[in-house]
Amino acid sequence: MTGGVDGARDVPTGAPARIDTPSPGDRRLTRLSLNQRTVAHWSLREAVTGCVDAGINAIGVWREPVAEAGLPTAARMLNDAGLRVSSLCRGGFFTAADPTALHKARRDNLMALDEAAELGCDTLVLVPGGLPDRDRDLTGARERVAEAVGGLVPAARERGVRLGLEPMHPIFAADRGVISTLRQALDIAECFPAAEVGVVVDTFHVWWDPDVIAQIARAGDRVVSYQVSEWITPLPPDALLNRGMPGDGHIDFGVLTEAVAATGYQGDIEVEIFNEAVWAAPGADVLATITRRYAELVAPHLCTADPD
Amino acid sequence: MTGGVDGARDVPTGAPARIDTPSPGDRRLTRLSLNQRTVAHWSLREAVTGCVDAGINAIGVWREPVAEAGLPTAARMLNDAGLRVSSLCRGGFFTAADPTALHKARRDNLMALDEAAELGCDTLVLVPGGLPDRDRDLTGARERVAEAVGGLVPAARERGVRLGLEPMHPIFAADRGVISTLRQALDIAECFPAAEVGVVVDTFHVWWDPDVIAQIARAGDRVVSYQVSEWITPLPPDALLNRGMPGDGHIDFGVLTEAVAATGYQGDIEVEIFNEAVWAAPGADVLATITRRYAELVAPHLCTADPD
């Protein structure tokens, strides 16, 4: 992949690239991580190879493709490729009201913690879960999330894995994530040591929040993952697949990235995009666009020195 | 229209009605208002006739169908029918960055205030407006809303019309309403006397907010309009038309209605639904369903005594 200004095109817009594609080794890419869901149609092996080819040094993996590869195989594959595993997606779904479902969720979260440990990944992303069927008690569901996180802390501590509670855009409050703001997530996280429970800052979920900058500052060393994706309009018809390529929408990545950097966050920064048009594009083109957009919109705002 | 349990069906679900359809004069309907947008395919005259036939005593009107009828004709029609005009929708759209567009928005808002006064309507609903094209400065857009509301206050006062700033669900933060929470709307409203600037509480927009009950209490006599519509899943594909019939989704109308009633709010309660399936149904069936759902889900939570 040569310089974007020499003919590369961005996906999914098809517009000419605005900057040259960074080459592997480019220091602007040091902390970039590919969230595997961005290339949903790739196997884990394809994603690993794609990262190495594009000069991406870290990957956020999902449990399902890891299971498809087989856990020990996946761990070896990631290790052999020299990729850091920035997060495992995902545990959580804590909001069931009936005891059997709650017990099943707990068992599933313990398995996720085991998998994270086996993969050498120190962060498990927790999706809160939505309202149970025909249940309108949002307050009750939120309380169950707080309780379930607490119940998971000892097992996470034993395995050396941090729990990252992810507040989700209010568009998902009914069916996916009843924790809607960083403030709420921090109210829960702060019941536990910062080394054990933190929060995931995902630009798509939090960009609209009038309180976002203050809450990122409050989070401090509880930011366990920083994920970037874009709010685009018009919203694609499927509410679950409405994230865009950074730069194609309305989010000011500079302001949010500087706020996260100011907390001292030194971890990887995942690009996580759920979008049919991105999924339909060739994976290598997706990764090339990501490295360009990240180098243009995110990397310059990481005020803290990169490790290299 | 006879009792629902005798064969009436709800729209748009098609399910058998759960209660008898309240008859005109039923005291549970005293404060129910039809927001005209709920029957978008009806003219103002059809909506007025529909309300009278269904025993609905108030209507929230939109500027476009009022202009189609002609303002004096519309005023006479509403007066002759004995309908209260619970609100005029809508002014606002304050977020343009360029001076010409800002000036045009101001002129348009002054016209809306004139129209409200002429219609005998004491409340103008203000939709904040979204981000200008290619503009990612959400904070700046929010500041322009605050300034523009302030600029409109003297003209509103002269005409005896209250401004109702409507916080909008964060799903609309980019393209329609940069004021995302009741807290934000109240921070602006409280710069002015409560008799001049208040807030609109729309269940669809605020139901997810962890702070909603506290902020409704804070609003007190600044609640200038209470609107009900439902959050349904899966979300319909068009993000602007994703509201549901109360009772078909995830919102606890009891909790929110009781919070509004506890402020001492004595005004009308509008049912405002933007939804293709509702619009496709016969208007009389829409109104019959609304009277049933309102009588079932909202009226019982109006703890304060009805005027009759």
Side-chain angles (χ1 to χ4, degrees):
Chain A
M1 179 67 58
T2 59
V5 290
D6 297 331
R9 290 191 169 266
D10 288 335
V11 292
T13 60
R18 302 185 291 212
I19 65 168
D20 285 345
T21 306
S23 305
D26 188 308
R27 61 186 300 282
R28 292 173 299 175
L29 303 186
T30 308
R31 293 168 62 189
L32 170 60
S33 175
L34 174 74
N35 185 288
Q36 198 181 351
R37 197 70 184 147
T38 304
V39 285
H41 300 315
W42 264 358
S43 68
L44 181 62
R45 184 172 299 279
E46 289 169 313
V48 166
T49 305
C51 282
V52 171
D53 290 348
I56 296 174
N57 305 304
I59 185 167
V61 296
W62 280 58
R63 296 180 63 199
E64 297 77 359
V66 163
E68 270 167 37
L71 183 59
T73 307
R76 202 167 47 241
M77 202 188 302
L78 291 159
N79 186 60
D80 290 351
L83 291 180
R84 297 185 298 275
V85 183
S86 49
S87 75
L88 177 65
C89 295
R90 56 204 180 161
F93 295 97
F94 291 128
T95 47
D98 95 276
T100 313
L102 271 181
H103 183 70
K104 186 165 171 296
R106 178 174 163 75
R107 232 177 28 210
D108 197 53
N109 276 291
L110 293 175
M111 282 176 54
L113 286 169
D114 285 338
E115 292 160 25
E118 172 95 14
L119 293 168
C121 165
D122 64 5
T123 302
L124 177 65
V125 173
L126 300 178
V127 171
L131 287 169
D133 198 31
R134 291 165 192 277
D135 185 330
R136 294 182 178 83
D137 180 11
L138 194 52
T139 305
R142 287 168 166 166
E143 285 166 359
R144 288 194 295 280
V145 172
E147 280 165 31
V149 169
L152 214 53
V153 165
R157 183 193 306 133
E158 278 170 25
R159 289 160 181 81
V161 177
R162 279 177 102 185
L163 301 173
L165 186 56
E166 182 163 23
M168 301 192 80
H169 193 284
I171 192 178
F172 298 125
D175 53 359
R176 189 149 299 251
V178 294
I179 304 298
S180 304
T181 61
L182 267 174
R183 180 195 294 267
Q184 270 190 299
L186 285 166
D187 285 348
I188 295 172
E190 286 177 356
C191 300
F192 310 97
E196 293 171 1
V197 183
V199 295
V200 177
V201 177
D202 182 317
T203 57
F204 175 91
H205 291 308
V206 303
W207 77 282
W208 60 271
D209 184 352
D211 207 23
V212 64
I213 300 299
Q215 294 299 321
I216 291 174
R218 171 187 169 195
D221 60 355
R222 288 186 191 270
V223 177
V224 301
S225 175
Y226 179 42
Q227 300 181 331
V228 293
S229 70
E230 179 68 286
W231 186 271
I232 52 177
T233 53
L235 280 182
D238 185 331
L240 285 180
L241 307 178
N242 54 9
R243 308 191 199 186
M245 182 67 69
D248 287 350
H250 303 280
I251 297 179
D252 184 336
F253 291 96
V255 167
L256 294 171
T257 301
E258 285 171 17
V260 170
T263 67
Y265 178 72
Q266 293 286 344
D268 294 309
I269 296 161
E270 293 185 9
V271 175
E272 184 190 48
I273 306 172
F274 297 58
N275 181 299
E276 285 286 3
V278 170
W279 291 346
D285 295 346
V286 173
L287 267 54
T289 305
I290 283 174
T291 60
R292 289 192 296 266
R293 294 297 176 88
Y294 178 88
E296 180 192 355
L297 300 169
V298 178
H301 300 280
L302 296 168
C303 345
T304 53
D306 280 339
D308 65 340
Chain B
M1 179 68 56
T2 60
V5 292
D6 296 331
R9 290 191 170 265
D10 288 334
V11 292
T13 61
R18 302 185 291 213
I19 65 169
D20 286 346
T21 306
S23 305
D26 189 307
R27 61 186 299 282
R28 291 172 299 173
L29 303 186
T30 308
R31 292 169 62 190
L32 170 60
S33 174
L34 173 72
N35 185 288
Q36 199 180 351
R37 198 68 185 147
T38 303
V39 285
H41 300 314
W42 264 358
S43 67
L44 181 62
R45 185 171 299 279
E46 288 169 315
V48 166
T49 305
C51 282
V52 171
D53 290 349
I56 297 174
N57 306 304
I59 185 168
V61 296
W62 280 59
R63 295 181 64 200
E64 297 77 359
V66 164
E68 268 167 38
L71 184 59
T73 307
R76 201 168 47 241
M77 201 189 300
L78 292 160
N79 187 60
D80 289 351
L83 290 181
R84 296 185 299 275
V85 183
S86 50
S87 75
L88 177 65
C89 295
R90 56 205 179 162
F93 295 98
F94 291 128
T95 47
D98 95 276
T100 312
L102 271 181
H103 182 71
K104 186 166 172 297
R106 179 172 162 78
R107 230 175 32 208
D108 198 53
N109 276 291
L110 292 176
M111 282 175 53
L113 285 169
D114 285 338
E115 292 160 26
E118 172 95 15
L119 292 168
C121 165
D122 65 5
T123 302
L124 176 65
V125 173
L126 300 179
V127 171
L131 286 169
D133 198 31
R134 293 164 192 277
D135 185 329
R136 295 182 177 84
D137 180 11
L138 193 53
T139 305
R142 286 166 168 167
E143 286 165 0
R144 288 195 295 281
V145 173
E147 281 164 31
V149 169
L152 214 54
V153 166
R157 183 193 307 131
E158 278 170 25
R159 290 160 181 80
V161 177
R162 279 178 102 185
L163 301 173
L165 185 56
E166 182 162 23
M168 300 192 79
H169 193 284
I171 192 178
F172 298 126
D175 53 357
R176 191 147 297 251
V178 294
I179 304 298
S180 305
T181 61
L182 267 176
R183 179 194 296 267
Q184 271 190 298
L186 286 166
D187 286 347
I188 295 172
E190 286 177 356
C191 300
F192 309 98
E196 293 171 2
V197 183
V199 296
V200 176
V201 178
D202 181 318
T203 57
F204 175 90
H205 292 308
V206 303
W207 76 282
W208 60 271
D209 184 351
D211 207 23
V212 63
I213 299 300
Q215 294 298 320
I216 290 173
R218 171 187 168 195
D221 60 356
R222 287 186 192 270
V223 177
V224 300
S225 175
Y226 178 42
Q227 300 181 331
V228 294
S229 71
E230 178 69 285
W231 186 271
I232 51 177
T233 54
L235 280 183
D238 185 330
L240 285 181
L241 306 178
N242 54 9
R243 309 191 197 185
M245 182 67 70
D248 287 349
H250 303 280
I251 296 179
D252 185 336
F253 291 95
V255 167
L256 293 171
T257 300
E258 285 171 16
V260 170
T263 67
Y265 179 73
Q266 293 285 344
D268 295 310
I269 296 162
E270 293 184 9
V271 175
E272 184 189 47
I273 306 172
F274 297 58
N275 181 298
E276 285 286 3
V278 171
W279 291 346
D285 295 347
V286 173
L287 267 55
T289 306
I290 283 173
T291 60
R292 289 191 295 267
R293 293 296 175 86
Y294 178 88
E296 180 192 356
L297 300 169
V298 178
H301 301 280
L302 296 169
C303 343
T304 53
D306 281 337
D308 65 340

